[in-house]
Amino acid sequence: MQTNTRVAVIGGGVVGCSVLYHLAKAGWTDIMLIERSELTSGSSWHAAGGFHTLNGDPNVAKLQAYTVGLYDELECISGQSCGLHLTGGVMLAESPERMDFLRTLHAKGRHLGMQTELITPLEAKAMFPLMDETNFVGALWDPVEGHLDPSGTTHAYAKAAKTLGAEIVLRNPVRELAQQPDGTWHVITEQGTVKAEHVVNAGGLWAREVGRMAGLELPLLAMEHMYLLTEDMPEVIEFNETHGRELIHAMDFRGEIYTRQERQGMLLGTYEQACKPWSPVNTPWDFGHELLQPDLERIAPSLEIGFKHFPPFERTGIKQVINGPFTFAPDGNPLVGPVRGLTNYWSACAVMAGFSQGGGVGLTLANWMVEGDPGADIWGMDVSRFGEWATLRYTNAKVRENYSRRFRIRYPNEELPAARPQQTTPLYDTMVENNAVMGDSWGLETPLWFAPSRQEAHDVISFHRSNDFEHIKAEVKAVRQSVGVSEIANFAKYRVSGPGAEAFLSHLMTNTMPKPGRIVLTPMLNEFGKLIGDFTIANAGGDRFMVWGSSAAQVYHMRWFERHLPDDGSVAIHRYDQTLVGLTIAGPNARNVLAKLTDTDVSGEAFRFMDFREMAVGGAPCMVNRISYTGDLGYEIWMEPTYERLVYAAIKHAGAEYDLRDFGMRALLSMRLEKNFPTWGHELRPIYGPYEGAMDRFIKLSKNDFIGRDAAAKEKADGPKRRRVSFIIEAETADVMHDEPVWAKVGDTDYGTIDPPHAVGPRRMTADGTMLEPPGMKQIVDGDWRVVGWVTSGGYAHGVEMSMAQGYVPAALAERGEDGLFEIEILGVRRPARIAVDPPFDPAGEKMRG
């Protein structure tokens, strides 16, 4: 065993071996993998081995498509078979609501170039004759689905990595990690100490323990997961002999079941409601190639439905029941990337779908380590997406909730209840008494909308406009016609101070820094000129700047800020989190309300648009920004939590004569749509450049050098290939959510904005037995119509009474506002849409500047 290495990858499952392979492929060959036992000694060896490309997050779907397309390459390099079976598969819908869900998945796949297809129950039965089609209303066919040999695939990664120069050390448990003053790591193992520049935690079932070695409590939990193998099934044998091919995969959402062929029988697994965590506090180091005791009683409700939906299962004996642990994060996605506060400590864990995602995780982590950027938008997998509030008990509750809902619909207006409330502001009880429907915003309880009574204060979950619609409309109308108040504690808040603060911020941000008492809006770019942040910055005087941004990105942004801090101690950053909270008042009468609350002159001349002031409001010391995300006249008022109840009560009292009304986050987001305001995390993400994102006026290329400046200048000179736009849609009872495809009537013109799939699947059988050839890798077209872009977010803009969306289209189409050019697909129906070149509400911005 070497005693010095560039990278020490801890864990010999499919993820660790993938990371090792991709690092070696990228040219880092002085690397090693350290495994406590044998390869696949954790979850990998007993996995069901299924894979698919579809995912609710299109960016994760891209990485899953990459993973599937990688297996041929692995076999070629390693000489090791992955045991690949590309059968295709169907997701079966038992209700109209589930069909709506499948339509959203199908639509998302269109803008990725995926060749999914909505089919009838009879068409599904032709490919999967074990089903009783009378239990279903439709299905979604995915040609890029199948299964493989978990052990063979893991060894293929390992052999390919060794072929490229990597070292693998087996039967060598890691006992301790110690970071040295120079940033390197001592990896203390049973066979000796290895000095490593980088450490990768790919510990799988033991990732939590490997994190604790570095002082981390990673939010992950292992769950028991069961699947069974049947005896040989006559129906399977008959199908194989008649058609010369395997049965496809099938996923039954109602039964919470997945199933596929295994030899001449079937494999059936379930995500049962009566789920059970495994070793919730500590993972035993002596656990290895072992299985857990089966408990068929736990999965009996799913089996009962499965026997009804797939009758041959009831007639066939069970050969074996597999019960083994898999790790999950609270939201079910992996934890990938550099860990804030630790030099060169990388996470590659909680990858429960290792044979769908392992290749993509390895690729992005290797890119990140070698190039300084993951090379893809992996926000949905970034380890920084969780904050300190994701404790052990929180994680336990959320993972159990996520596991039990894995095959259930997540509606766009559905707020999940587990582990809540986790964080609350001093106004939480008051908001609930005011009939607020609360939502989870990065672990914080935040008002979404206000009902007329406590009995009505709940969401009726739906893909269509729901019971909140008229109440959000009333909140928006109150703001647009008079004045409203909303809690905005869920923003991120920072103080950047010190003699080097201005230079530091100017180096990070694209805009010039504000003068004392003034505010600027500014994006932040990475070295490649891509959007990694969007901030409001106020110059508070005395080398002190206040910075506001996206709450969900607080750890993500602090990781970036700390990476670029000067070594001379001239800059200090303080993240307030919930030690600073806020309220916003907005609407034509907002100034009148504020004037009654302060002795400071807040006239339009004395307190201008984009001014910052420190003043007493309602008798409490506050910081006030004259700015509002509503796009109307408005103010953001920030205070310590101890004053929030006082300030809120004063606002309510002062606003009574103006019929001031509470409004929630949904009304705020509705109003930002009619102003074409983007949001970070939806419109602004690391796959978009600033000119693509239509952030031109905030990019000051002539100021001092800033991170990403050269790339931004090149983007401007070359011209962006795509552009963020706002749409007005002729919708009916449902509005866009995100990731719907944008169609354009452009004939044969190919604008090249659609990513083709990385793999195509097998032929599909129709209900009459006809075999259809796979459609191949090409852009989605329908006559003169072509998918040219995608929606990033949207909803109903109540102030202007329009269904609206934001999204990206080719730059050549971005200024074309005529009718008849665009359609946007909502729940399987293509709706006419046109670009709103100017914001529908107050296009000149006179109201917010008045």
Side-chain angles (χ1 to χ4, degrees):
M1 181 180 72
Q2 299 180 45
T3 57
N4 287 273
T5 187
R6 192 171 195 176
V7 182
V9 179
I10 302 174
V14 65
V15 175
C17 291
S18 173
V19 171
L20 192 74
Y21 166 69
H22 283 92
L23 284 170
K25 186 179 178 182
W28 283 18
T29 54
D30 180 17
I31 56 178
M32 70 186 334
L33 182 147
I34 305 172
E35 163 55 38
R36 53 178 285 281
S37 181
E38 307 291 338
L39 297 182
T40 74
S41 291
S43 297
S44 297
W45 77 272
H46 60 71
F51 60 81
H52 56 273
T53 57
L54 282 170
N55 188 284
D57 183 339
N59 296 292
V60 175
K62 289 181 184 180
L63 294 177
Q64 292 183 183
Y66 166 80
T67 301
V68 176
L70 180 64
Y71 291 130
D72 286 341
E73 174 184 316
L74 283 179
E75 290 185 336
C76 181
I77 294 174
S78 68
Q80 166 74 49
S81 171
C82 294
L84 195 65
H85 298 253
L86 188 60
T87 63
V90 289
M91 296 181 178
L92 298 166
E94 81 294 341
S95 68
E97 292 78 15
R98 178 62 69 182
M99 274 308 299
D100 278 346
F101 173 71
L102 294 185
R103 290 184 184 101
T104 67
L105 287 182
H106 178 55
K108 288 178 181 181
R110 287 188 187 277
H111 88 249
L112 298 174
M114 291 182 176
Q115 307 294 331
T116 59
E117 186 179 350
L118 294 168
I119 61 176
T120 67
L122 281 174
E123 289 178 301
K125 184 179 178 66
M127 295 181 284
F128 193 74
L130 307 186
M131 62 183 279
D132 177 353
E133 73 281 7
T134 63
N135 293 295
F136 303 100
V137 299
L140 179 66
W141 160 252
D142 177 12
V144 189
E145 191 167 324
H147 58 278
L148 44 67
D149 171 21
S151 179
T153 301
T154 304
H155 280 85
Y157 277 117
K159 288 182 178 180
K162 290 175 71 175
T163 298
L164 296 173
E167 181 182 4
I168 295 177
V169 181
L170 303 178
R171 298 173 292 282
N172 187 27
V174 174
R175 300 303 187 192
E176 187 179 343
L177 294 174
Q179 188 153 40
Q180 305 305 299
D182 65 356
T184 61
W185 291 88
H186 282 180
V187 183
I188 302 166
T189 77
E190 198 171 82
Q191 297 178 19
T193 297
V194 177
K195 184 177 181 180
E197 182 181 343
H198 299 264
V199 167
V200 176
N201 180 355
L205 293 176
W206 295 270
R208 187 174 48 190
E209 279 65 31
V210 175
R212 289 168 181 166
M213 292 178 185
L216 301 172
E217 189 62 48
L218 290 167
L220 57 89
L221 176 72
M223 299 293 293
E224 294 191 14
H225 180 68
M226 277 181 280
Y227 64 86
L228 57 86
L229 303 174
T230 74
E231 302 285 355
D232 290 353
M233 194 175 285
E235 292 85 353
V236 172
I237 296 171
E238 179 185 357
F239 183 89
N240 296 162
E241 291 176 349
T242 301
H243 301 286
R245 58 196 295 269
E246 282 185 274
L247 288 173
I248 63 169
H249 284 217
M251 186 182 296
D252 174 10
F253 290 102
R254 176 67 181 88
E256 297 169 326
I257 284 169
Y258 62 89
T259 184
R260 67 164 174 84
Q261 184 172 336
E262 175 70 13
R263 299 185 184 275
Q264 292 184 314
M266 296 295 293
L267 178 152
L268 183 148
T270 179
Y271 286 86
E272 69 279 6
Q273 294 300 297
C275 56
K276 183 179 179 181
W278 178 75
S279 294
V281 179
N282 297 289
T283 305
W285 286 104
D286 59 355
F287 186 81
H289 273 85
E290 304 166 46
L291 292 173
L292 307 176
Q293 185 66 34
D295 184 359
L296 288 178
E297 287 298 317
R298 281 215 323 268
I299 65 173
S302 292
L303 293 179
E304 184 177 349
I305 297 172
F307 292 160
K308 177 184 176 184
H309 290 184
F310 310 110
F313 278 92
E314 191 171 20
R315 302 190 295 267
T316 306
I318 297 175
K319 182 165 59 178
Q320 186 179 9
V321 179
I322 307 293
N323 185 17
F326 288 88
T327 56
F328 296 76
D331 59 4
N333 277 347
L335 300 171
V336 180
V339 175
R340 181 207 161 199
L342 294 175
T343 303
N344 292 342
Y345 185 98
W346 303 81
S347 176
C349 50
V351 190
M352 59 76 50
F355 297 98
S356 292
Q357 299 175 342
V361 169
L363 173 69
T364 57
L365 197 68
N367 285 341
W368 217 332
M369 296 173 73
V370 174
E371 304 293 341
D373 185 85
D377 183 353
I378 68 156
W379 170 248
M381 301 194 300
D382 196 316
V383 66
S384 71
R385 70 188 185 274
F386 292 105
E388 299 85 349
W389 41 267
T391 61
L392 191 65
R393 291 193 178 189
Y394 171 92
T395 298
N396 188 300
K398 294 304 286 187
V399 167
R400 284 186 286 118
E401 178 183 64
N402 178 272
Y403 182 99
S404 67
R405 292 180 51 91
R406 183 158 176 79
F407 286 167
R408 296 203 169 186
I409 298 173
R410 177 70 185 270
Y411 291 91
N413 65 334
E414 184 175 14
E415 294 287 327
L416 302 183
R420 292 178 58 195
Q422 179 75 346
Q423 298 181 88
T424 59
T425 71
L427 287 181
Y428 174 75
D429 292 338
T430 301
M431 292 296 158
V432 172
E433 290 170 3
N434 290 350
N435 304 323
V437 175
M438 305 299 286
D440 179 0
S441 176
W442 207 61
L444 176 70
E445 294 296 311
T446 301
L448 299 176
W449 61 280
F450 292 83
S453 69
R454 192 69 238 146
Q455 292 72 29
E456 298 171 85
H458 64 275
D459 281 316
V460 175
I461 55 176
S462 175
F463 287 108
H464 297 260
R465 295 171 190 165
S466 190
N467 61 318
D468 63 347
F469 188 81
E470 291 300 325
H471 305 298
I472 295 171
K473 179 179 180 179
E475 293 172 21
V476 171
K477 293 294 186 182
V479 173
R480 292 299 190 221
Q481 295 171 5
S482 184
V483 63
V485 59
S486 187
E487 189 175 35
I488 51 173
N490 60 329
F491 286 26
K493 294 86 60 175
Y494 314 88
R495 182 183 65 240
V496 181
S497 59
E502 182 168 359
F504 169 74
L505 286 170
S506 192
H507 179 59
L508 261 61
M509 307 296 173
T510 66
N511 207 344
T512 54
M513 289 301 99
K515 297 183 182 301
R518 293 291 287 165
I519 297 168
V520 298
L521 305 178
T522 177
M524 183 170 71
L525 309 180
N526 61 19
E527 296 97 330
F528 305 93
K530 301 301 183 182
L531 291 159
I532 60 170
D534 184 41
F535 298 96
T536 300
I537 298 181
N539 187 331
D543 293 332
R544 182 168 55 101
F545 291 81
M546 293 298 301
V547 180
W548 290 268
S550 169
S551 63
Q554 288 184 58
V555 176
Y556 176 85
H557 286 143
M558 283 297 293
R559 184 175 67 191
W560 184 261
F561 294 157
E562 291 168 352
R563 173 180 165 187
H564 292 92
L565 276 174
D567 296 329
D568 59 8
S570 63
V571 180
I573 300 178
H574 173 71
R575 177 168 69 96
Y576 287 96
D577 202 8
Q578 293 312 308
T579 62
L580 187 70
V581 295
L583 297 163
T584 184
I585 54 174
N589 283 313
R591 181 182 290 119
N592 296 332
V593 173
L594 183 61
K596 296 174 66 175
L597 299 171
T598 182
D599 298 321
T600 301
D601 184 357
V602 293
S603 65
E605 295 77 21
F607 196 11
R608 300 166 297 163
F609 178 60
M610 302 292 280
D611 269 355
F612 166 87
R613 295 286 184 272
E614 294 181 273
M615 63 176 75
V617 178
C622 297
M623 294 179 285
V624 183
N625 296 333
R626 202 198 134 178
I627 192 172
S628 174
Y629 199 43
T630 65
D632 220 318
L633 171 65
Y635 305 86
E636 294 175 351
I637 306 169
W638 302 95
M639 69 225 70
E640 294 178 8
T642 189
Y643 296 113
E644 189 182 28
R645 293 173 69 92
L646 171 67
V647 175
Y648 176 74
I651 290 172
K652 294 282 282 190
H653 180 74
E657 68 173 286
Y658 303 104
D659 296 321
L660 176 140
R661 181 168 183 152
D662 288 292
F663 68 97
M665 282 295 116
R666 290 182 184 168
L668 181 65
L669 293 174
S670 172
M671 287 183 275
R672 70 97 185 176
L673 284 174
E674 54 199 34
K675 285 295 294 179
N676 295 357
F677 289 164
T679 58
W680 193 88
H682 289 282
E683 285 72 47
L684 311 179
R685 292 182 70 134
I687 53 174
Y688 305 123
Y691 296 98
E692 290 181 326
M695 304 295 282
D696 310 39
R697 66 185 184 278
F698 305 119
I699 315 299
K700 302 299 191 291
L701 295 174
S702 60
K703 79 179 186 88
N704 61 284
D705 188 25
F706 57 86
I707 296 174
R709 180 191 176 281
D710 291 346
K714 186 176 188 305
E715 182 192 352
K716 182 180 181 182
D718 295 345
K721 294 181 179 179
R722 56 191 172 191
R723 189 82 167 168
R724 176 176 65 87
V725 297
S726 182
F727 286 101
I728 297 168
I729 311 168
E730 295 180 22
E732 292 183 356
T733 64
D735 304 294
V736 302
M737 295 170 285
H738 53 81
D739 302 315
E740 291 88 350
V742 177
W743 295 78
K745 194 174 184 179
V746 293
D748 293 332
T749 306
D750 186 354
Y751 291 95
T753 63
I754 305 302
D755 297 321
H758 292 278
V760 294
R763 296 180 296 166
R764 182 175 75 76
M765 183 183 294
T766 65
D768 63 3
T770 303
M771 296 300 294
L772 300 179
E773 293 297 325
M777 300 171 63
K778 62 181 180 181
Q779 195 176 48
I780 304 297
V781 297
D782 179 12
D784 288 338
W785 291 86
R786 185 178 296 267
V787 174
V788 298
W790 54 89
V791 167
T792 50
S793 69
Y796 196 81
H798 290 275
V800 294
E801 297 186 343
M802 296 174 177
S803 184
M804 297 193 68
Q806 291 191 38
Y808 281 84
V809 299
L813 298 174
E815 300 297 326
R816 295 180 59 177
E818 69 264 33
D819 292 333
L821 178 60
F822 293 103
E823 293 179 344
I824 293 178
E825 190 169 338
I826 302 176
L827 298 180
V829 179
R830 284 158 49 182
R831 303 286 182 183
R834 62 179 175 85
I835 289 177
V837 178
D838 297 313
F841 174 77
D842 188 27
E846 296 172 352
K847 294 183 182 295
M848 61 184 179
R849 291 181 172 85

